[in-house]
Amino acid sequence: MVMNKAVVKNVLSGDTVILRGKPRANGPPLERLLALSNVQAPRLGNMSKSDEPFGYAAREFLRKLLVGKEVNFVVEYATAGQREYGTLYTSTGENVAELGVKAGWLKVRGQDELLLTLQAEAEKAHLGVWNDKETGIRDVAFTFEQDPVEFLKKYKGKPLEAVIEQVRDAASFRVLLILPNGSQQWINMNLSGIKVPRCKREDEEGEPFGEEAKYFVESRLLQRSVKVTLEGQQTHGFMGSIAHPAGNITEILLSQGFAQCVDWSIPLCTCGPAVLRNAEKLAKEKKLRVWRDFVATKENRKELDVIVVRVINGDTVIIKTKTEERKIQLASIKQVPRQQETKGKDIKETGYQLEAREFLRKKLIGKQVRLIVDYNKPAQDGFEARDCGTILLNQVNIAEQLVARGLATVIRHRKDDDKRSHCYDKLLIAEKKAQDENKGIHSTGPAPVVRIVDASENAARSQQFLTFFKRRGQKLNAIVEFVSNGSRVSLWIPKENCKLTLILSGIRAPRVGGNKSEPFGQEALDFVSPKIFQHDVEVEIENVDKVGNFVGTLFIQGENLSVLLLKEGLATLHEYSANDSRYTSQLYAAEREAQTEKKNIWSLKEEAVPEVTGPNREYIDVVVSDIISGSHFYVQKVTEDIPKLEKLMKDLSQLSIASPPTFKPRVGEVVCAQFTEDDCWYRARIRKMSHEGVEVVYVDFGNSETLSRTRLRPLPVQFQSLKPQAHEAVLSFIKSPERTKDYGYEAIDKLRELTGNKQLVANVDARIDGVIHLTLYDFRQSTSAEASINLEMVKEGFAVVKPKVSYAKGHESIINTLEKAQEEAIKGRLGMFEYGDITGEDDLY
């Protein structure tokens, strides 16, 4: 009999093996089945019958002894059914049958004396099948009857002991799992993350390298003890990874060019997609097997720092470089479908696109980000060519965050399409996680519905909303959705689910666009848009116009947009609404600054001078609240607001105000300030901040002082609705010395004597740059239009006459009376004329 050599491919039972010959050039090696002669092992079970006692243990003895190892064998005889029987020897020359009988796993057939002696010794020692203390029956399920979802949930990601019982192709197996509780479960399993060439089947030809790949895996895995990690579920089994003693078989297949990565299952891989992609990349570079015709494409990624200026939708933004604006679509993701119904001007938006757009807006708008341009999508199907890239904010991939929240889906690229995000695998992992957690569009619940009401649809509706907004008495948080021109914007108020058109009060910006475009209209629009478009802003609603537009003040990061426009000379004052505004003095001061510097609009014209056709007759009741000089002071108008102010002061004094740790006062902000003289709290506007302290102006009285920050607190909402009660004013036609000049304090004392603790009547002669020009009367003593406090200041020598003012026309008799009084004061050497006539020396007063 001839002695042959072979490798044991697998073990069918404790007495039967399949032997594999040497590899052939034109295909896999030949195989033959060999049963051990003169012995018999218990039979293994299958789906139709159970194991015989100790059948599995006998098979395991032979499997661990022989699988994958070279053996010598002699064929002794064959049955009529061509089943061969013979003797098998290990590489060290040991008789396998004798080893099995000696271990108690084989029973002797026939009269071989040596085998019978070995069997008697095993039986006496109660070894193997002769162990009468054990049943030898394992707990095994040949078919999968459990709930696959629950099974996967229980064991997902946990390495399980297993034996690979069958290799269908290089990535598909029948696996015997050895579960932690000792039970066994047969499953079908495919390798996650890869696709291998198809093997030849009865009804179809195989693909190149299919059989070679199968042999590669069989020779390493078949009937080997391995660690299996379940990672996902498929229609007829599970997805997972197999840890071979030499490493992850998936990675090994890829590195040898036997497999390709597939996008749909690579996120499942416990080892992470990067490991598998790198292995595939190595095979591509070497042009191994399935990559033999691979042609590398040159990567042309560009990286640059940009600013996001607009969010178009849930996957597209506009960025600004140093030289241009460009549209960028987030690489390899697609925004969720949009569903929108419109009835009239009210909008009903269903789905997650609004949430996705808002997520991008809050994260990106106005911020500098890192852009990596991954590829360019050419124009096709009516769509323009687009750059597609990855946007990183503080090293975080924004597209990945979108996908992880279920607010976008990942595009499935063709396997030969390298135009994809360089973070594509991370996107796939994020999507898988969102699916598992039922987030966003992967949720089983109904899609969210957002109904947005147009508050500016008509005047009637805007009046309803105006009442509601004023009742709230606080600033509204809003988002700028459109900028029409420098002073007209469209807003969305998320908390109220409404949109409205807002016109900035107190100013007028030049028109832009069309035949009615005005100078600096486009400049005003260009100034405003980057600052506020799609930004979070605060709004104070003051009124509505006759067509339903709202009128109010808009703040961006605490700054009054109207003031900013006026400072840049890109808007002019609208006097009527400016005088009615809480921010009158800021508006006038801003315009004066632009006029002085001749910015933009003011570079084209001289400062506007009010045209006066006659004396103004506008009488108001006032009290003087603070005096700056003998002719410069603040007044409070005696109106129905005075009782409101008194109540506000009372409530404010009774309030315990704590300073939150996050409070950071800003210039222009109205706060609570603790007045130095009485330690009471008053409303004040911050004028200037320096190392010396914070200079504030008390908006209801007009006086100012410099305080430490410890004496400032945020102004509670309920005290913000009342307009500032102090109005800056000067005496018409005259001027007194400044406080620090000669006779300055004497002039202040005289004015305090004439006005202190008195209700007076004032005629408003003019309003210029937010300052009221007044002729003051003490109605208890005045007998004519000329008999004024202005006249008394001149008579006592504490003011000089200034007749050349824009509103002098129609006041000739008053001015003549003042000039005569000035002559008498000079003759009498009164007050500031003590040492002679100084009317020509402007620097003295």
Side-chain angles (χ1 to χ4, degrees), residues 269-449:
C269 296
T270 308
C271 64
V275 173
L276 304 186
R277 297 285 187 190
N278 289 336
E280 183 184 58
K281 183 179 179 182
L282 182 64
K284 286 180 176 179
E285 290 172 353
K286 296 180 179 179
K287 297 191 175 183
L288 296 177
R289 298 181 177 90
V290 298
W291 302 110
R292 63 191 185 280
D293 299 323
F294 175 73
V295 178
T297 56
K298 185 179 178 181
E299 290 188 356
N300 192 28
R301 292 195 180 101
K302 297 179 182 178
E303 295 190 29
L304 57 160
D305 292 323
V306 299
I307 295 175
V308 179
V309 296
R310 182 180 178 186
V311 174
I312 296 177
N313 54 38
D315 65 8
T316 307
V317 300
I318 291 180
I319 57 94
K320 184 177 182 180
T321 66
K322 293 180 179 179
T323 58
E324 62 176 347
E325 289 188 358
R326 293 164 59 187
K327 185 183 290 187
I328 297 292
Q329 182 174 342
L330 296 179
S332 297
I333 72 166
K334 180 171 61 176
Q335 67 172 332
V336 296
R338 184 181 186 184
Q339 303 172 10
Q340 180 173 304
E341 298 176 11
T342 304
K343 185 177 180 181
K345 292 189 177 180
D346 292 351
I347 297 173
K348 175 184 175 185
E349 191 160 327
T350 306
Y352 292 92
Q353 193 176 77
L354 177 63
E355 189 177 340
R357 197 166 64 244
E358 269 299 280
F359 175 82
L360 288 181
R361 186 194 65 79
K362 289 178 180 178
K363 284 281 185 182
L364 300 180
I365 201 72
K367 294 181 181 176
Q368 181 169 307
V369 298
R370 188 71 172 170
L371 170 66
I372 303 171
V373 180
D374 292 303
Y375 57 94
N376 178 268
K377 187 180 290 186
Q380 59 181 5
D381 300 329
F383 292 98
E384 61 185 356
R386 282 164 287 175
D387 287 329
C388 300
T390 300
I391 290 178
L392 302 178
L393 176 65
N394 299 324
Q395 302 302 315
V396 176
N397 186 346
I398 293 299
E400 187 178 341
Q401 288 191 318
L402 265 178
V403 173
R405 286 165 171 76
L407 301 178
T409 57
V410 180
I411 297 171
R412 294 310 191 260
H413 296 282
R414 299 190 313 272
K415 64 182 181 181
D416 60 343
D417 183 7
D418 289 330
K419 288 186 174 182
R420 59 179 65 189
S421 168
H422 70 283
C423 301
Y424 188 67
D425 293 329
K426 292 182 179 180
L427 297 178
L428 292 171
I429 292 172
E431 184 175 55
K432 184 63 173 62
K433 185 178 179 181
Q435 290 169 346
D436 292 343
E437 297 176 359
N438 296 323
K439 288 188 174 181
I441 58 172
H442 310 295
S443 171
T444 55
V449 178

Side-chain angles (χ1 to χ4, degrees), residues 811-824:
H811 295 89
E812 288 81 2
S813 63
I814 292 177
I815 293 172
N816 289 336
T817 301
L818 291 172
E819 288 177 335
K820 289 178 181 178
Q822 179 176 275
E823 291 174 4
E824 293 297 323

Side-chain angles (χ1 to χ4, degrees), residues 56-80:
Y56 175 71
R59 198 287 298 264
E60 284 296 280
F61 170 79
L62 202 60
R63 181 183 70 82
K64 294 176 181 178
L65 179 67
L66 299 178
V67 167
K69 296 177 181 177
E70 188 175 73
V71 295
N72 298 314
F73 68 97
V74 175
V75 178
E76 298 174 0
Y77 64 93
T79 64

Side-chain angles (χ1 to χ4, degrees), residues 142 185 322 359 443 516 522 567 606 610 690 733 736 753:
F142 293 99
Q185 176 66 62
K322 293 180 179 179
F359 175 82
S443 171
K516 296 183 179 180
Q522 188 62 47
K567 280 185 177 180
E606 296 295 326
S690 67
F733 314 116
S736 295
E753 176 189 329

Side-chain angles (χ1 to χ4, degrees), residues 179-196:
L179 300 177
N181 62 4
S183 64
Q184 299 178 6
Q185 176 66 62
W186 283 70
I187 64 167
N188 297 323
M189 194 187 86
N190 281 27
L191 293 178
S192 305
I194 63 169
K195 176 185 179 298
V196 296

Side-chain angles (χ1 to χ4, degrees), residues 573-593:
L573 275 171
H574 183 267
E575 191 169 319
Y576 176 79
S577 58
N579 290 334
D580 202 36
S581 170
R582 295 172 55 191
Y583 308 99
T584 303
S585 58
Q586 293 183 48
L587 297 175
Y588 277 98
E591 186 177 62
R592 282 198 300 270
E593 182 180 325

Side-chain angles (χ1 to χ4, degrees), residues 189-227:
M189 194 187 86
N190 281 27
L191 293 178
S192 305
I194 63 169
K195 176 185 179 298
V196 296
R198 186 178 63 252
C199 292
K200 183 178 180 180
R201 299 175 185 172
E202 293 180 1
D203 55 344
E204 59 183 336
E205 290 292 323
E207 295 176 336
F209 305 104
E211 295 298 329
E212 186 181 349
K214 180 181 178 182
Y215 170 70
F216 180 87
V217 173
E218 270 188 345
S219 62
R220 288 161 175 78
L221 290 189
L222 185 60
Q223 285 207 328
R224 304 307 204 280
S225 295
V226 296
K227 294 280 189 180

Side-chain angles (χ1 to χ4, degrees), residues 595-661:
Q595 288 173 339
T596 302
E597 298 179 13
K598 294 190 179 297
K599 285 186 175 180
N600 295 317
I601 291 173
W602 303 107
S603 67
L604 302 179
K605 58 184 178 181
E606 296 295 326
E607 181 177 348
V609 177
E611 182 181 349
V612 179
T613 57
N616 185 55
R617 294 289 181 256
E618 180 187 345
Y619 292 102
I620 56 175
D621 294 329
V622 298
V623 291
V624 175
S625 57
D626 188 61
I627 298 175
I628 298 171
S629 73
S631 60
H632 187 189
F633 49 92
Y634 281 85
V635 297
Q636 293 175 340
K637 296 179 183 179
V638 181
T639 65
E640 67 277 4
D641 284 341
I642 293 298
K644 295 179 183 178
L645 176 62
E646 292 171 351
K647 184 178 184 304
L648 182 148
M649 298 304 304
K650 180 180 178 182
D651 293 344
L652 198 58
S653 66
Q654 296 173 352
L655 194 66
S656 176
I657 309 173
S659 180

